[in-house]
Amino acid sequence: MSASSTHKHDHNISHLTRNTVALILAGGRGSRLMNMTDWRAKPAVPFGGKFRIIDFPLSNCMNSGIRKIGVLTQYKADSLIRHIQQGWGFLRGEFGEYVDLMPAQQRHDENSWYAGTADAVFQNIDILRSRHPEHILVLAGDHIYKMDYGAMLADHVEKNADLTIGCIEVSLQDATAFGVMDVDENRRVRDFVEKPEHPPVMPGRTDTALASMGIYIFNAGFLFEQLLKDADTKGSSHDFGKDIIPAVIDKYIVNAYPFLDLQSGEQSYWRDVGTIDAYWAANMELIGVKPDLNLYDKTWPIWTYQAQTPPAKFVFDSDKRRGSAVDSMVSGGCVISGATVRHSLLFSNVRVNSYTTLQDTIVLPEVNIGRHCRITKAIIEKGCEVPEGTIIGEDRAEDEKRFHVSHGGVVLVTPDMLGQKRHYVR
């Protein structure tokens, strides 16, 4: 590709991204995360030492050049709203850039919350029309990944599609948990089935299916037309996967867009951290020497709000009382005071006191862990005061008396479980 054609290609993508509105569906209850979503929506759950889950789709929009973003909130949204107001208010309205919060406004039915993913967008259809977008990018607010939406937009336009669905390649065994597409050799979607017992196989493969990531690009006029039709359809659950997509496959051009690494052609990193085990595992992966998700990539920064904190500190250095952390990530404001931290991830403002050992543990912000504790394979929720001498992760039966223990043996500890009546955990 010549320099001039490269410039033209980049200009075309920047034109596409400039005229795209992104909608992040961030109203999810996230009940499989158990007590971690008692007081916050799933997209507001902390992740990776200093971020929240919603920072990933938001950062993808920023880095892709999409600066018109609506965040559709519903369930226990206070901490999510505060996070976006504090951390995402840097866009310039004079340039038509914004991150707008769009709660369920009951614009069409005074008693109606968002009934489904499509209904959430439909309830804001008048706002969207007033902004005259060419394309609308619909995103889930609760997945961890890095993706250039500009490349997907270019593919959508090149293929003259009405709707393009972002997909990941999954094994047939895992595909039963997703919405799965049956596609032809040109990636045209022929069928879309939610959580199928017998998933359709990708062309040319024997053991792989294409699963929806919950990422959709619509031509704006086409989307408005389909939302109005769906709103008038009796018995519809007003959901993209269950209703809108199956209804348009036969009559319109619906394409699948595989989410692959542009250099290697391999499946790119994508995680649904919707269970305690998946959340723990995705955080633990970050500690590795070369994790699949590179948070140190300067070309694709993950933006967030973070409090101003002093550097992490490790104090005391005698044989029995040494402040140390190995194979770990430790955030600002932490004090490791004569304690040992191994293969663990500490969010900001955590204090671990003398003679305590942490192993394979995630500690959320503002936690104080007392002396002489032994904690293994746990998630310590924000604001916990862990009493001196507490032992977690060594006796499952004992842990289950006080805490939530996941199927995979991860122990979730919250202030309430410790008898600390700090009900409201942001």
Side-chain angles (χ1 to χ4, degrees):
M1 194 182 278
S2 68
S4 62
S5 61
T6 301
H7 175 77
K8 188 177 177 185
H9 175 75
D10 291 344
H11 177 74
N12 287 342
I13 288 183
S14 67
H15 169 80
L16 289 174
T17 55
R18 256 201 320 273
N19 291 291
T20 296
V21 170
L23 298 176
I24 302 179
L25 303 175
R29 184 178 292 264
S31 55
R32 293 178 303 151
L33 280 173
M34 311 310 292
N35 310 76
M36 294 190 78
T37 51
D38 279 352
W39 300 102
R40 56 164 93 87
K42 184 181 168 188
V45 170
F47 182 85
K50 59 180 276 190
F51 309 105
R52 293 185 187 248
I53 293 172
I54 197 167
D55 290 326
F56 288 83
L58 280 169
S59 295
N60 289 339
C61 288
M62 288 293 122
N63 295 328
S64 299
I66 296 171
R67 304 291 173 89
K68 298 178 171 75
I69 305 164
V71 179
L72 279 61
T73 65
Q74 181 157 285
Y75 171 79
K76 296 191 176 176
D78 178 65
S79 59
L80 185 66
I81 290 167
R82 284 168 55 87
H83 175 71
I84 289 169
Q85 287 172 336
Q86 290 172 324
W88 290 90
F90 54 81
L91 297 181
R92 296 303 300 257
E94 300 94 325
F95 300 136
E97 304 175 347
Y98 54 82
V99 176
D100 279 353
L101 291 155
M102 301 168 96
Q105 299 180 60
Q106 302 170 342
R107 301 174 82 86
H108 296 276
D109 179 347
E110 289 185 8
N111 301 311
S112 175
W113 286 77
Y114 293 152
T117 54
D119 181 60
V121 180
F122 171 69
Q123 285 204 33
N124 293 284
I125 195 169
D126 54 337
I127 298 172
L128 294 170
R129 276 178 163 157
S130 71
R131 293 176 184 179
H132 309 294
E134 286 181 28
H135 299 99
I136 292 178
L137 169 66
V138 180
L139 303 168
D142 54 2
H143 299 141
I144 305 290
Y145 64 105
K146 295 195 289 187
M147 181 178 187
D148 184 352
Y149 302 132
M152 184 174 168
L153 268 164
D155 184 81
H156 174 83
V157 171
E158 190 181 313
K159 294 278 198 301
N160 201 28
D162 297 294
L163 162 62
T164 300
I165 303 170
C167 303
I168 51 167
E169 297 179 4
V170 296
S171 70
L172 291 182
Q173 183 183 345
D174 292 339
T176 55
F178 291 91
V180 178
M181 264 140 296
D182 188 10
V183 300
D184 65 17
E185 294 75 15
N186 299 314
R187 296 195 270 113
R188 178 87 180 258
V189 177
R190 296 301 180 195
D191 196 13
F192 184 96
V193 275
E194 283 278 0
K195 302 183 179 176
E197 274 187 56
H198 304 289
V201 181
M202 280 179 66
R205 305 285 279 274
T206 57
D207 58 349
T208 308
L210 268 183
S212 170
M213 301 167 71
I215 296 174
Y216 312 118
I217 294 175
F218 288 91
N219 297 337
F222 173 70
L223 175 62
F224 300 152
E225 187 182 294
Q226 299 310 315
L227 289 174
L228 288 164
K229 194 181 293 182
D230 177 71
D232 290 337
T233 302
K234 285 185 177 169
S236 173
S237 55
H238 309 301
D239 186 83
F240 284 115
K242 290 178 187 153
D243 306 290
I244 299 267
I245 296 170
V248 301
I249 285 170
D250 291 340
K251 298 180 190 168
Y252 301 95
I253 300 173
V254 179
N255 284 342
Y257 179 82
F259 179 40
L260 303 174
D261 183 273
L262 295 177
Q263 270 77 43
S264 68
E266 298 288 314
Q267 179 63 65
S268 290
Y269 177 97
W270 182 88
R271 297 286 185 275
D272 179 354
V273 291
T275 66
I276 292 295
D277 288 331
Y279 174 84
W280 178 85
N283 277 281
M284 285 290 116
E285 284 174 350
L286 299 175
I287 297 167
V289 178
K290 289 188 176 176
D292 290 336
L293 177 65
N294 180 11
L295 295 178
Y296 300 85
D297 179 3
K298 291 180 181 175
T299 66
W300 202 266
I302 306 301
W303 303 87
T304 190
Y305 167 77
Q306 59 174 347
Q308 297 300 312
T309 56
K313 186 163 73 165
F314 305 80
V315 294
F316 298 114
D317 186 18
S318 63
D319 287 344
K320 293 183 180 176
R321 189 186 186 202
R322 178 170 291 122
S324 66
V326 291
D327 271 343
S328 296
M329 291 175 73
V330 180
S331 303
C334 290
V335 179
I336 313 301
S337 176
T340 302
V341 176
R342 292 193 187 94
H343 199 252
S344 294
L345 190 154
L346 276 55
F347 284 74
S348 55
N349 297 322
V350 169
R351 184 180 181 97
V352 190
N353 289 290
S354 294
Y355 314 110
T356 281
T357 302
L358 298 187
Q359 174 83 39
D360 300 326
T361 289
I362 300 163
V363 188
L364 273 65
E366 316 290 341
V367 168
N368 183 55
I369 299 175
R371 292 182 163 206
H372 299 286
C373 295
R374 296 199 308 272
I375 300 176
T376 305
K377 201 174 180 181
I379 300 169
I380 312 296
E381 188 39 292
K382 185 175 179 179
C384 280
E385 291 278 341
V386 180
E388 184 170 336
T390 299
I391 296 172
I392 295 170
E394 295 181 12
D395 184 331
R396 181 170 182 132
E398 281 300 312
D399 289 336
E400 285 176 341
K401 291 177 186 175
R402 305 175 62 195
F403 311 120
H404 172 80
V405 184
S406 72
H407 179 73
V410 178
V411 185
L412 174 63
V413 180
T414 68
D416 277 355
M417 294 172 187
L418 292 168
Q420 295 147 13
K421 295 302 176 190
R422 182 173 172 182
H423 291 289
Y424 188 43
V425 177
R426 285 183 169 141

